Amino acid sequence: MKFLFDLFPIILFFVAYKFSGIFAATAVAIVATVGQIAWVWFRHRKVDTMLWVSLAIVTVFGGATLIFQNPTFIKWKPTVLYWFFAGALLFSAMVLRKNLIRTLMEAQLKLPDPLWGRLNLAWAAFFVGMGVLNLFVAYTYSEDTWVNFKLFGGMGLMLVFVVAQGMMLSRYLEEEPK
């Protein structure tokens, strides 16, 4: 359910785009993200930092798209978000000496220390690659293709990456005694 909830603004963006175009879709994405944060706050009285970052980026780039009537800004939004995630993972590991992936996942997984480092690096590389791929699609293909890629391509690649990670990490999972 959380995964679908996280996709809520993207799905609404996609639907709005299909019915009303890029500018209406951009406004819908901004409003949906604000609504998402309001719902999380109402339910838990706490909003994750990444959701605030996402709101800031969609508001800045979406706002620029609407103000200047130029879809280039909203096309950059996923890349900026992906690169922010990659930068946060790398900065935290290299400067703060803290592995964010480990912090997020160590309650579910027990892994050797070197593997945590490789996992963190793999996620950072994935996010860098996704940012580059988003720009490639945005500047090489039609707007309609980019919107489809934003939902289906991005989600599909994330799913493939997570499954590949899961397969690689599965040998480290402890089986519960029967």
Side-chain angles (χ1 to χ4, degrees), residues 14-177:
F14 178 81
V15 171
Y17 175 80
K18 294 300 180 184
F19 286 101
S20 301
I22 194 76
F23 301 115
T26 300
V28 165
I30 294 168
V31 170
T33 306
V34 168
Q36 189 178 41
I37 285 180
W39 177 255
V40 169
W41 176 256
F42 175 75
R43 298 275 298 172
H44 305 288
R45 293 290 182 233
K46 182 179 187 279
V47 177
D48 292 335
T49 303
M50 288 303 160
L51 200 49
W52 286 116
V53 168
S54 182
L55 175 64
I57 291 172
V58 76
T59 301
V60 168
F61 285 84
T65 294
L66 296 175
I67 290 167
F68 298 111
Q69 292 292 291
N70 184 344
T72 300
F73 296 105
I74 200 66
K75 289 179 181 180
W76 268 87
K77 181 248 165 205
T79 293
V80 170
L81 191 60
Y82 290 138
W83 288 352
F84 176 84
F85 290 159
L89 291 171
L90 294 172
F91 178 82
S92 184
M94 293 177 182
V95 177
L96 303 178
R97 301 283 185 236
K98 183 172 178 148
N99 185 317
L100 291 180
I101 295 295
R102 183 178 194 158
T103 302
L104 292 171
M105 297 177 65
E106 73 181 333
Q108 292 86 14
L109 284 172
K110 301 298 178 222
L111 300 174
D113 286 340
L115 192 54
W116 281 116
R118 289 197 303 268
L119 190 60
N120 196 68
L121 192 58
W123 276 97
F126 174 74
F127 285 130
V128 168
M130 285 295 290
V132 169
L133 186 57
N134 177 69
L135 291 178
F136 174 77
V137 172
Y139 285 103
T140 305
Y141 297 97
S142 70
E143 183 177 277
D144 197 50
T145 299
W146 173 78
V147 169
N148 288 325
F149 171 77
K150 181 176 168 31
L151 178 61
F152 301 112
M155 194 169 33
L157 289 169
M158 179 73 75
L159 180 62
V160 167
F161 182 73
V162 167
V163 167
Q165 291 285 308
M167 289 171 42
M168 187 205 58
L169 297 173
S170 66
R171 64 183 134 173
Y172 297 98
L173 295 177
E174 297 176 14
E175 289 190 34
E176 293 187 24

